[in-house]
Amino acid sequence: VNHRCELFHVNLKTQKLHLIDKSTFGDISGLDWSPDGKWIVYDYPLTDRLRAIKLCEIKSFKTYVITRPLLEDFQPSFDPEGKYIYFLSKRTYSPCPDNLQFEMGFPKGVKPYLILLDESLTSPFIPQPKVEDKKLKEAKKPEDVKNIKIDLTKIEERILEFPVAEGDYAFIRGIPGKALYLSRHLHSSADEEEDPTTRGNLECYDFAMKKEETLIPKISFYSLSGDSQWLCYYGAKRLRVVKAGEKPQDNDSSYRKG
């Protein structure tokens, strides 16, 4: 992606450059590769007010709009198991009264969502019948990367909302069986004493437990390793690497403060 709002694909073997997409309304962002390397997903401005999620099939370089935004759908990412595309969206609005202007405002309005890629998949938010322990253990064994099935017909109708409160969310990413996203609390621009590196919490939604919990408090950014096994986060002006999906322990001998 460049400053001219263009998205290019570069084949390192053939040294060929191909223009995938170009926008006349703003930057293309949120680029992420599918686990099998055959698709990319990104957010794209349709107009000066609407931003949607788009897919590109690398083999043909065909692009597809896969969401119908109310305002902005942004920061998409593939589930590492190839079942979903996660993204954030400004489409849930609960008005709050303003004590100064005597009007209604929308200080939050963002929620995490997912798209079912295979039309035969069911909602991960609905409890499923329990399986035997042996089958459960077999399901947890890591599998080699395989072709991801994406049914494009009516894909925009397979969008599911996470059962969490609306807020100010950012950086949604997936790990096996879980989704991670950053939630940021409202803060005053006049509060100069607040450390900007501690304004967010890393939330984790566990699909097996069907619940959300705070994984790491008071951080401003995080990033996952390529295999989604490790997580690096920045908070209180410090960097730390921990096992993805697990709460860090301060009594860990590998953790050094300062």
Side-chain angles (χ1 to χ4, degrees):
V1 179
N2 62 22
H3 66 289
R4 296 175 179 173
C5 307
E6 297 171 325
L7 174 61
F8 285 95
H9 174 268
V10 181
N11 190 317
L12 298 180
K13 291 183 178 180
T14 63
Q15 301 294 308
K16 290 184 178 180
L17 185 70
H18 185 90
L19 177 63
I20 294 176
D21 214 338
K22 182 177 181 178
S23 171
T24 58
F25 294 102
D27 293 337
I28 297 172
S29 59
L31 180 67
D32 191 45
W33 285 89
S34 63
D36 62 0
K38 297 182 179 181
W39 300 81
I40 56 172
V41 65
Y42 54 97
D43 57 65
Y44 178 91
L46 300 175
T47 69
D48 57 352
R49 293 181 59 86
L50 298 179
R51 180 173 288 270
I53 306 300
K54 293 188 74 173
L55 264 178
C56 174
E57 186 179 17
I58 295 301
K59 183 178 180 180
S60 62
F61 292 115
K62 290 184 179 179
T63 61
Y64 309 87
V65 178
I66 60 173
T67 64
R68 298 171 181 168
L70 180 60
L71 280 179
E72 293 185 6
D73 298 336
F74 58 103
Q75 294 185 357
S77 62
F78 275 96
D79 163 44
E81 297 175 308
K83 296 179 181 179
Y84 321 118
I85 287 177
Y86 302 111
F87 70 99
L88 301 172
S89 180
K90 297 178 180 179
R91 61 173 68 191
T92 303
Y93 293 96
S94 300
C96 299
D98 189 312
N99 292 328
L100 180 62
Q101 299 293 335
F102 304 104
E103 295 178 351
M104 306 300 284
F106 304 89
K108 297 180 180 179
V110 180
K111 270 193 172 186
Y113 294 79
L114 64 79
I115 303 174
L116 300 175
L117 297 181
D118 188 340
E119 63 181 358
S120 65
L121 291 174
T122 58
S123 171
F125 305 118
I126 299 176
Q128 300 295 326
K130 293 184 178 180
V131 296
E132 298 179 2
D133 292 340
K134 291 183 179 179
K135 293 182 179 180
L136 188 61
K137 290 180 180 179
E138 290 178 359
K140 288 185 176 180
K141 291 181 179 179
E143 297 182 355
D144 295 332
V145 176
K146 56 183 180 181
N147 294 333
I148 293 176
K149 182 182 179 182
I150 300 181
D151 294 315
L152 293 170
T153 304
K154 297 183 178 180
I155 190 171
E156 69 278 0
E157 298 179 6
R158 300 198 300 272
I159 297 175
L160 301 177
E161 178 184 290
F162 276 65
V164 299
E166 66 172 314
D168 182 12
Y169 296 104
F171 311 121
I172 186 167
R173 294 292 183 270
I175 60 176
K178 299 178 181 180
L180 307 175
Y181 40 91
L182 196 65
S183 67
R184 300 177 291 203
H185 64 269
L186 298 177
H187 66 280
S188 171
S189 58
D191 188 359
E192 298 180 354
E193 296 182 359
E194 184 181 20
D195 185 355
T197 66
T198 62
R199 288 178 180 167
N201 295 331
L202 181 61
E203 310 292 347
C204 175
Y205 189 89
D206 190 317
F207 292 109
M209 301 300 294
K210 302 292 185 293
K211 69 175 184 179
E212 177 193 59
E213 67 171 340
T214 299
L215 207 61
I216 309 173
K218 297 182 178 180
I219 70 171
S220 62
F221 184 78
Y222 78 94
S223 180
L224 290 173
S225 62
D227 59 2
S228 301
Q229 297 298 310
W230 296 94
L231 181 147
C232 177
Y233 70 88
Y234 180 67
K237 300 179 181 179
R238 293 188 178 95
L239 285 171
R240 186 179 181 185
V241 177
V242 297
K243 192 73 173 177
E246 298 180 4
K247 288 187 176 182
Q249 303 296 324
D250 288 341
N251 59 1
D252 186 350
S253 59
S254 65
Y255 178 47
R256 296 180 298 171
K257 295 185 177 179

